[in-house]
Amino acid sequence: MSTYTPVASQTLSASASSVTFSNIPQDYTDLILVFSGSASTSDDFQIQVNSDTGSNYSRTWLTGNGSTAASSRGTSQSYMRVDQNGYLSTGISNIIIHFMNYSNTTTYKTLLTRANNANNGVNAEVNLWRSTAAITSISINSLKAGTTFNLYGIL
């Protein structure tokens, strides 16, 4: 039996200001979102859950491009960042996001992100959503046509 169960898939036929996965089933312990594509602006990919635009997100990131490396953190943010410095806005990027304990209603939600772009660099991030609510929707901003998404549940 596979531990990754497909929940949703989507391929963009046109650029989109955002993509939302809603009505996410609460039957799993974790979620994995895998996507490959490009941002339609020079902004970093940004994620919000449950339409929360408040200052309830924090992140710590590490990034590098083969020559230099950097790290930092942000607190009281209005979104979670998937990449740093716009690395993923040019060319095709591959991103894996692990939403841990997404359906648990007694803990804050932690996301681990790995992202890379062969032309620009790599990223590792940990994001925190300071809410005990179960994650029922995920929105990602600024995506070009051809971007593919696969959302999996982990039993």
Side-chain angles (χ1 to χ4, degrees):
M1 183 167 125
S2 174
T3 57
Y4 278 40
T5 303
V7 173
S9 270
Q10 185 173 358
T11 298
L12 295 180
S13 58
S15 294
S17 59
S18 68
V19 169
T20 300
F21 292 92
S22 55
N23 300 316
I24 296 171
Q26 301 297 298
D27 305 331
Y28 307 99
T29 56
D30 295 0
L31 293 173
I32 301 288
L33 178 61
V34 179
F35 66 101
S36 181
S38 299
S40 58
T41 68
S42 61
D43 291 337
D44 302 321
F45 286 118
Q46 299 171 3
I47 292 181
Q48 292 175 320
V49 293
N50 296 4
S51 301
D52 183 357
T53 59
S55 299
N56 299 314
Y57 305 98
S58 300
R59 68 178 172 270
T60 300
W61 56 267
L62 174 65
T63 190
N65 63 11
S67 300
T68 60
S71 66
S72 189
R73 45 187 337 264
T75 58
S76 300
Q77 306 292 302
S78 61
Y79 58 88
M80 291 178 274
R81 186 172 282 171
V82 176
D83 74 299
Q84 195 60 39
N85 299 323
Y87 277 163
L88 307 181
S89 63
T90 58
I92 300 297
S93 300
N94 301 297
I95 299 131
I96 300 171
I97 306 169
H98 186 166
F99 296 79
M100 295 184 285
N101 295 311
Y102 80 102
S103 61
N104 186 321
T105 57
T106 62
T107 61
Y108 289 169
K109 308 306 176 284
T110 302
L111 284 71
L112 297 177
T113 302
R114 291 175 291 158
N116 68 70
N117 179 307
N119 296 321
N120 297 321
V122 298
N123 258 9
E125 300 208 21
V126 61
N127 283 280
L128 178 69
W129 180 44
R130 290 185 307 279
S131 174
T132 58
I135 295 175
T136 57
S137 71
I138 300 167
S139 296
I140 305 110
N141 76 323
S142 303
L143 301 152
K144 286 185 181 176
T147 299
T148 61
F149 298 90
N150 290 290
L151 182 64
Y152 301 95
I154 299 179
L155 298 173

